[in-house]
Amino acid sequence: MKFKTFFLFALLLVFSNQSFALAVDEWEYKTITGDLKPTPGCKNKEAAKKKASSGHRFKKYTRLLCTQVAYGWGIAEVENKGKLVCDACEGEYEGEEKYRCYMKDVVVKCKTVKKGW
């Protein structure tokens, strides 16, 4: 019984070295251009512009651009915020014009840990 346990432990020890990560501090970078999602709902133009171009929503969707590349990719920096595009909403809004805005052609630099030995 002790021999089987020792043999199993030795076998696990021999094959466990394949799971070590790369021990260097190197990164791979990739530049991606994409459009961010439009703001939810229809708002007045100033509120839609502010919501689409700054704050938590902008950070969240630029980060999602990088995660769409593959698992493990994260954002390094936003190189170009792109341009703001606002589309008028269709429908009846009591005489007011309502808009949905989004950022077009946002350039993001993404990074991941270099893989390999």
Side-chain angles (χ1 to χ4, degrees):
M1 181 70 177
K2 289 183 181 180
F3 180 71
K4 287 181 182 178
T5 307
F6 177 73
F7 181 71
L8 180 63
F9 180 70
L11 191 64
L12 288 175
L13 186 66
V14 167
F15 288 109
S16 66
N17 68 349
Q18 294 177 1
S19 64
F20 290 125
L22 184 64
V24 294
D25 190 21
E26 293 183 27
W27 295 92
E28 289 183 36
Y29 292 96
K30 186 182 283 191
T31 304
I32 297 173
T33 303
D35 299 339
L36 304 185
K37 285 187 174 182
T39 54
C42 295
K43 300 176 173 37
N44 64 13
K45 197 167 190 172
E46 294 305 316
K49 280 182 181 181
K50 183 178 179 185
K51 190 145 191 119
S53 63
S54 64
H56 173 71
R57 181 178 178 78
F58 183 80
K59 290 178 187 176
K60 175 184 175 181
Y61 286 109
T62 52
R63 188 173 57 245
L64 285 176
L65 277 177
C66 287
T67 58
Q68 289 174 356
V69 174
Y71 179 76
W73 285 87
I75 187 165
E77 65 179 308
V78 177
E79 292 183 349
N80 186 357
K81 288 184 79 170
K83 66 177 186 172
L84 182 69
V85 177
C86 292
D87 297 326
C89 294
E90 297 177 6
E92 196 64 39
Y93 291 102
E94 303 165 5
E96 294 183 17
E97 288 190 41
K98 299 287 184 170
Y99 294 90
R100 293 180 75 183
C101 298
Y102 66 96
M103 298 302 290
K104 184 175 183 169
D105 297 331
V106 177
V107 180
V108 180
K109 187 175 184 180
C110 303
K111 69 178 179 178
T112 189
V113 175
K114 187 174 181 181
K115 295 170 180 59
W117 296 96

PDB file of all heavy atoms in Angstrom, residues 25-42:
ATOM      1  N   ASP A  25       9.126  38.737 -17.576  1.00  0.00           N
ATOM      2  CA  ASP A  25       8.182  39.847 -17.572  1.00  0.00           C
ATOM      3  C   ASP A  25       8.112  40.449 -18.974  1.00  0.00           C
ATOM      4  O   ASP A  25       8.625  41.537 -19.212  1.00  0.00           O
ATOM      5  CB  ASP A  25       8.615  40.881 -16.543  1.00  0.00           C
ATOM      6  CG  ASP A  25       7.547  41.931 -16.312  1.00  0.00           C
ATOM      7  OD1 ASP A  25       6.377  41.649 -16.629  1.00  0.00           O
ATOM      8  OD2 ASP A  25       7.878  43.017 -15.818  1.00  0.00           O
ATOM      9  N   GLU A  26       7.506  39.728 -19.888  1.00  0.00           N
ATOM     10  CA  GLU A  26       7.360  40.203 -21.260  1.00  0.00           C
ATOM     11  C   GLU A  26       5.886  40.234 -21.617  1.00  0.00           C
ATOM     12  O   GLU A  26       5.114  39.384 -21.203  1.00  0.00           O
ATOM     13  CB  GLU A  26       8.107  39.275 -22.224  1.00  0.00           C
ATOM     14  CG  GLU A  26       9.604  39.300 -22.047  1.00  0.00           C
ATOM     15  CD  GLU A  26      10.305  38.410 -23.068  1.00  0.00           C
ATOM     16  OE1 GLU A  26       9.748  38.195 -24.153  1.00  0.00           O
ATOM     17  OE2 GLU A  26      11.398  37.926 -22.748  1.00  0.00           O
ATOM     18  N   TRP A  27       5.532  41.216 -22.426  1.00  0.00           N
ATOM     19  CA  TRP A  27       4.139  41.401 -22.825  1.00  0.00           C
ATOM     20  C   TRP A  27       4.035  41.379 -24.344  1.00  0.00           C
ATOM     21  O   TRP A  27       4.944  41.804 -25.034  1.00  0.00           O
ATOM     22  CB  TRP A  27       3.614  42.741 -22.315  1.00  0.00           C
ATOM     23  CG  TRP A  27       3.555  42.847 -20.841  1.00  0.00           C
ATOM     24  CD1 TRP A  27       4.523  43.335 -20.022  1.00  0.00           C
ATOM     25  CD2 TRP A  27       2.480  42.445 -20.004  1.00  0.00           C
ATOM     26  NE1 TRP A  27       4.122  43.269 -18.721  1.00  0.00           N
ATOM     27  CE2 TRP A  27       2.859  42.724 -18.688  1.00  0.00           C
ATOM     28  CE3 TRP A  27       1.241  41.894 -20.234  1.00  0.00           C
ATOM     29  CZ2 TRP A  27       2.018  42.467 -17.602  1.00  0.00           C
ATOM     30  CZ3 TRP A  27       0.419  41.631 -19.149  1.00  0.00           C
ATOM     31  CH2 TRP A  27       0.808  41.921 -17.853  1.00  0.00           C
ATOM     32  N   GLU A  28       2.903  40.920 -24.838  1.00  0.00           N
ATOM     33  CA  GLU A  28       2.562  41.036 -26.255  1.00  0.00           C
ATOM     34  C   GLU A  28       1.528  42.142 -26.368  1.00  0.00           C
ATOM     35  O   GLU A  28       0.607  42.225 -25.557  1.00  0.00           O
ATOM     36  CB  GLU A  28       1.952  39.734 -26.776  1.00  0.00           C
ATOM     37  CG  GLU A  28       2.931  38.603 -26.897  1.00  0.00           C
ATOM     38  CD  GLU A  28       2.267  37.368 -27.493  1.00  0.00           C
ATOM     39  OE1 GLU A  28       1.397  37.525 -28.379  1.00  0.00           O
ATOM     40  OE2 GLU A  28       2.617  36.275 -27.059  1.00  0.00           O
ATOM     41  N   TYR A  29       1.673  42.977 -27.384  1.00  0.00           N
ATOM     42  CA  TYR A  29       0.743  44.088 -27.585  1.00  0.00           C
ATOM     43  C   TYR A  29       0.059  43.950 -28.931  1.00  0.00           C
ATOM     44  O   TYR A  29       0.637  43.456 -29.895  1.00  0.00           O
ATOM     45  CB  TYR A  29       1.485  45.424 -27.519  1.00  0.00           C
ATOM     46  CG  TYR A  29       2.012  45.743 -26.151  1.00  0.00           C
ATOM     47  CD1 TYR A  29       3.326  45.460 -25.808  1.00  0.00           C
ATOM     48  CD2 TYR A  29       1.198  46.315 -25.196  1.00  0.00           C
ATOM     49  CE1 TYR A  29       3.813  45.740 -24.547  1.00  0.00           C
ATOM     50  CE2 TYR A  29       1.676  46.610 -23.928  1.00  0.00           C
ATOM     51  CZ  TYR A  29       2.977  46.323 -23.609  1.00  0.00           C
ATOM     52  OH  TYR A  29       3.452  46.603 -22.362  1.00  0.00           O
ATOM     53  N   LYS A  30      -1.182  44.433 -28.982  1.00  0.00           N
ATOM     54  CA  LYS A  30      -1.952  44.425 -30.218  1.00  0.00           C
ATOM     55  C   LYS A  30      -2.833  45.663 -30.220  1.00  0.00           C
ATOM     56  O   LYS A  30      -3.428  46.019 -29.198  1.00  0.00           O
ATOM     57  CB  LYS A  30      -2.816  43.164 -30.277  1.00  0.00           C
ATOM     58  CG  LYS A  30      -3.548  42.987 -31.588  1.00  0.00           C
ATOM     59  CD  LYS A  30      -4.424  41.751 -31.550  1.00  0.00           C
ATOM     60  CE  LYS A  30      -3.561  40.524 -31.723  1.00  0.00           C
ATOM     61  NZ  LYS A  30      -4.364  39.305 -31.948  1.00  0.00           N
ATOM     62  N   THR A  31      -2.912  46.337 -31.363  1.00  0.00           N
ATOM     63  CA  THR A  31      -3.742  47.529 -31.483  1.00  0.00           C
ATOM     64  C   THR A  31      -5.030  47.165 -32.199  1.00  0.00           C
ATOM     65  O   THR A  31      -5.000  46.541 -33.259  1.00  0.00           O
ATOM     66  CB  THR A  31      -2.999  48.632 -32.255  1.00  0.00           C
ATOM     67  OG1 THR A  31      -1.755  48.889 -31.580  1.00  0.00           O
ATOM     68  CG2 THR A  31      -3.806  49.895 -32.315  1.00  0.00           C
ATOM     69  N   ILE A  32      -6.148  47.571 -31.621  1.00  0.00           N
ATOM     70  CA  ILE A  32      -7.468  47.225 -32.152  1.00  0.00           C
ATOM     71  C   ILE A  32      -8.270  48.501 -32.368  1.00  0.00           C
ATOM     72  O   ILE A  32      -8.223  49.425 -31.549  1.00  0.00           O
ATOM     73  CB  ILE A  32      -8.215  46.317 -31.169  1.00  0.00           C
ATOM     74  CG1 ILE A  32      -7.457  45.018 -30.995  1.00  0.00           C
ATOM     75  CG2 ILE A  32      -9.627  46.051 -31.623  1.00  0.00           C
ATOM     76  CD1 ILE A  32      -8.013  44.158 -29.935  1.00  0.00           C
ATOM     77  N   THR A  33      -9.011  48.542 -33.460  1.00  0.00           N
ATOM     78  CA  THR A  33      -9.924  49.644 -33.744  1.00  0.00           C
ATOM     79  C   THR A  33     -11.342  49.093 -33.771  1.00  0.00           C
ATOM     80  O   THR A  33     -11.595  48.072 -34.394  1.00  0.00           O
ATOM     81  CB  THR A  33      -9.603  50.288 -35.102  1.00  0.00           C
ATOM     82  OG1 THR A  33      -8.242  50.724 -35.090  1.00  0.00           O
ATOM     83  CG2 THR A  33     -10.513  51.472 -35.376  1.00  0.00           C
ATOM     84  N   GLY A  34     -12.252  49.773 -33.097  1.00  0.00           N
ATOM     85  CA  GLY A  34     -13.634  49.312 -33.071  1.00  0.00           C
ATOM     86  C   GLY A  34     -14.583  50.398 -32.620  1.00  0.00           C
ATOM     87  O   GLY A  34     -14.173  51.476 -32.203  1.00  0.00           O
ATOM     88  N   ASP A  35     -15.859  50.091 -32.732  1.00  0.00           N
ATOM     89  CA  ASP A  35     -16.914  51.000 -32.294  1.00  0.00           C
ATOM     90  C   ASP A  35     -17.458  50.514 -30.954  1.00  0.00           C
ATOM     91  O   ASP A  35     -17.571  49.316 -30.725  1.00  0.00           O
ATOM     92  CB  ASP A  35     -18.058  51.042 -33.309  1.00  0.00           C
ATOM     93  CG  ASP A  35     -17.605  51.527 -34.675  1.00  0.00           C
ATOM     94  OD1 ASP A  35     -16.559  52.196 -34.751  1.00  0.00           O
ATOM     95  OD2 ASP A  35     -18.307  51.253 -35.664  1.00  0.00           O
ATOM     96  N   LEU A  36     -17.823  51.458 -30.092  1.00  0.00           N
ATOM     97  CA  LEU A  36     -18.427  51.101 -28.816  1.00  0.00           C
ATOM     98  C   LEU A  36     -19.940  51.066 -28.966  1.00  0.00           C
ATOM     99  O   LEU A  36     -20.493  51.651 -29.894  1.00  0.00           O
ATOM    100  CB  LEU A  36     -18.020  52.114 -27.741  1.00  0.00           C
ATOM    101  CG  LEU A  36     -16.528  52.312 -27.525  1.00  0.00           C
ATOM    102  CD1 LEU A  36     -16.300  53.256 -26.360  1.00  0.00           C
ATOM    103  CD2 LEU A  36     -15.828  51.003 -27.272  1.00  0.00           C
ATOM    104  N   LYS A  37     -20.608  50.397 -28.055  1.00  0.00           N
ATOM    105  CA  LYS A  37     -22.064  50.285 -28.114  1.00  0.00           C
ATOM    106  C   LYS A  37     -22.714  51.638 -27.879  1.00  0.00           C
ATOM    107  O   LYS A  37     -22.209  52.463 -27.109  1.00  0.00           O
ATOM    108  CB  LYS A  37     -22.562  49.316 -27.050  1.00  0.00           C
ATOM    109  CG  LYS A  37     -22.326  47.878 -27.372  1.00  0.00           C
ATOM    110  CD  LYS A  37     -23.007  47.019 -26.330  1.00  0.00           C
ATOM    111  CE  LYS A  37     -22.930  45.572 -26.688  1.00  0.00           C
ATOM    112  NZ  LYS A  37     -23.630  44.737 -25.716  1.00  0.00           N
ATOM    113  N   PRO A  38     -23.866  51.877 -28.502  1.00  0.00           N
ATOM    114  CA  PRO A  38     -24.576  53.130 -28.249  1.00  0.00           C
ATOM    115  C   PRO A  38     -25.178  53.178 -26.849  1.00  0.00           C
ATOM    116  O   PRO A  38     -25.356  52.143 -26.197  1.00  0.00           O
ATOM    117  CB  PRO A  38     -25.664  53.162 -29.319  1.00  0.00           C
ATOM    118  CG  PRO A  38     -25.783  51.788 -29.820  1.00  0.00           C
ATOM    119  CD  PRO A  38     -24.503  51.083 -29.536  1.00  0.00           C
ATOM    120  N   THR A  39     -25.494  54.363 -26.409  1.00  0.00           N
ATOM    121  CA  THR A  39     -26.088  54.533 -25.087  1.00  0.00           C
ATOM    122  C   THR A  39     -27.468  53.885 -25.058  1.00  0.00           C
ATOM    123  O   THR A  39     -28.177  53.871 -26.061  1.00  0.00           O
ATOM    124  CB  THR A  39     -26.221  56.027 -24.736  1.00  0.00           C
ATOM    125  OG1 THR A  39     -26.933  56.691 -25.771  1.00  0.00           O
ATOM    126  CG2 THR A  39     -24.870  56.674 -24.570  1.00  0.00           C
ATOM    127  N   PRO A  40     -27.858  53.340 -23.907  1.00  0.00           N
ATOM    128  CA  PRO A  40     -29.181  52.721 -23.830  1.00  0.00           C
ATOM    129  C   PRO A  40     -30.276  53.780 -23.774  1.00  0.00           C
ATOM    130  O   PRO A  40     -30.106  54.843 -23.181  1.00  0.00           O
ATOM    131  CB  PRO A  40     -29.120  51.935 -22.519  1.00  0.00           C
ATOM    132  CG  PRO A  40     -28.128  52.649 -21.701  1.00  0.00           C
ATOM    133  CD  PRO A  40     -27.125  53.207 -22.667  1.00  0.00           C
ATOM    134  N   GLY A  41     -31.389  53.485 -24.404  1.00  0.00           N
ATOM    135  CA  GLY A  41     -32.509  54.410 -24.381  1.00  0.00           C
ATOM    136  C   GLY A  41     -32.232  55.659 -25.190  1.00  0.00           C
ATOM    137  O   GLY A  41     -31.197  55.803 -25.838  1.00  0.00           O
ATOM    138  N   CYS A  42     -33.171  56.552 -25.186  1.00  0.00           N
ATOM    139  CA  CYS A  42     -33.043  57.817 -25.915  1.00  0.00           C
ATOM    140  C   CYS A  42     -33.053  58.959 -24.910  1.00  0.00           C
ATOM    141  O   CYS A  42     -33.933  59.042 -24.067  1.00  0.00           O
ATOM    142  CB  CYS A  42     -34.188  57.961 -26.904  1.00  0.00           C
ATOM    143  SG  CYS A  42     -34.147  56.725 -28.215  1.00  0.00           S
TER     144      CYS A  42
END
